[in-house]
């Protein structure tokens, strides 16, 4: 069910655009709402979701607010395409733990371990999202 687009997301962006032009945008959005997942960098997934009037959106798997602490550019964060409501729910959950993650960083703790601990709770019903989050954190 997971469509991993860590490479080749440019082709997926073209496919998403073709789906819109062919009148199949509703099918594409429905697939995302039903749990099909496309993973990639935020900058690539923005291209895929462009033109869908926020019915689908690119979601940073780790809050973009932690870019400075992680030494990463927001556009390079591992991300996933979600429907708007699901995206809103995950964002709310991350926002509720953001300060505690920052406190670990400020106290010179292991911020990556703290992010993973929270990701395990937030993505407990989405193992593919947790897996990509962990792999991305390991890679940076």
């Amino acid at each position: 069910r997971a469509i991993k687009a860590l490479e080749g997301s440019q082709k997926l962006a073209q496919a998403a655009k073709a789906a819109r032009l062919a009148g199949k945008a509703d099918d594409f959005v429905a697939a995302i709402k039903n749990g099909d997942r496309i993973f990639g960098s935020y900058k690539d997934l923005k291209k895929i979701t462009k033109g869908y009037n926020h019915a689908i959106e690119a979601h940073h798997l780790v809050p973009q607010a932690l870019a400075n602490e992680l030494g990463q550019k927001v556009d390079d964060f591992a991300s996933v395409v979600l429907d708007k409501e699901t995206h809103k729910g995950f964002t709310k959950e991350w926002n509720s733990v953001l300060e505690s993650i920052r406190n670990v960083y400020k106290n010179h703790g292991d911020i990556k371990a703290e992010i993973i601990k929270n990701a395990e709770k937030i993505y407990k019903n989405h193992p593919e999202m947790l897996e990509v989050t962990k792999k991305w954190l390991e890679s940076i």
Side-chain angles (χ1 to χ4, degrees), residues 91-122:
T91 300
K92 183 178 179 180
E93 288 185 71
W94 277 112
N95 285 341
S96 73
V97 297
L98 196 53
E99 196 57 37
S100 67
I101 294 170
R102 283 193 166 130
N103 284 336
V104 168
Y105 177 78
K106 288 176 189 174
N107 293 313
H108 307 289
D110 187 345
I111 189 171
K112 290 181 184 181
E114 186 67 15
I115 291 169
I116 290 170
K117 180 180 88 175
N118 285 282
E120 287 172 342
K121 295 174 189 170
I122 293 169

Side-chain angles (χ1 to χ4, degrees), residues 14-82:
Q14 293 169 350
K17 182 178 179 181
R20 280 193 313 274
L21 295 175
K24 299 290 184 189
D26 290 343
D27 294 342
F28 186 60
V29 171
I32 298 300
K33 285 183 177 183
N34 286 329
D36 286 344
R37 298 287 176 246
I38 301 171
F39 296 94
S41 70
Y42 183 75
K43 70 179 169 228
D44 289 338
L45 296 186
K46 283 191 307 187
K47 296 172 191 172
I48 291 173
T49 60
K50 185 179 178 184
Y52 283 93
N53 294 325
H54 298 284
I56 56 173
E57 300 173 334
H59 167 67
H60 297 88
L61 289 167
V62 171
Q64 64 181 342
L66 297 172
N68 288 336
E69 289 86 345
L70 292 170
Q72 298 297 305
K73 294 179 183 175
V74 171
D75 275 352
D76 295 333
F77 272 47
S79 299
V80 62
V81 177
L82 300 172

Side-chain angles (χ1 to χ4, degrees), residues 4 6 61-62 78 112 116 127-140:
K4 294 188 181 177
L6 295 172
L61 289 167
V62 171
K112 290 181 184 181
I116 290 170
E128 73 282 4
M129 292 171 64
L130 179 59
E131 177 187 348
V132 173
T133 301
K134 286 179 177 179
K135 286 186 178 184
W136 180 73
L137 285 168
E138 289 170 5
S139 75
I140 60 171

